[in-house]
Amino acid sequence: MPKKRILQEIIIPNAPLKRGDRGMAVENLQRTLQSILKTKGKANPLNTEPGIYGPLTDGMVRRFQGTYGLFPSGTYTALT
């Protein structure tokens, strides 16, 4: 019997978002980055700062940007 694959819906938030921003768009960004970077169980912003663009979200954005050859500014832009 084949295994079922469950795909999580990814919501790409509108840019730009930066440190200090708050709200659902930030939480969507955090969930998307968590899914892409596989940070579940590791330090991730949904554990301590859901919906707040703080140091953990900044770090995840920098990690994503560096991984994909972008300048690691920590600010989520349309290019990111």
Side-chain angles (χ1 to χ4, degrees):
M1 185 171 193
K3 290 183 180 180
K4 288 185 179 181
R5 296 180 86 190
I6 299 173
L7 300 176
Q8 183 178 1
E9 183 179 345
I10 295 178
I11 300 170
I12 307 298
N14 291 327
L17 293 170
K18 64 187 178 323
R19 203 165 177 165
D21 288 345
R22 296 171 177 262
M24 199 64 204
V26 173
E27 192 167 337
N28 289 337
L29 174 62
Q30 292 167 333
R31 288 186 192 288
T32 300
L33 289 171
Q34 178 185 12
S35 176
I36 292 169
L37 298 173
K38 311 283 190 251
T39 59
K40 205 166 204 147
K42 300 176 186 173
N44 84 70
L46 290 169
N47 289 341
T48 59
E49 53 182 32
I52 301 171
Y53 201 125
L56 291 176
T57 303
D58 182 270
M60 284 178 68
V61 170
R62 287 175 190 272
R63 181 173 157 206
F64 176 87
Q65 290 168 328
T67 298
Y68 291 94
L70 303 170
F71 177 75
S73 67
T75 298
Y76 173 73
T77 64
L79 184 57
T80 303

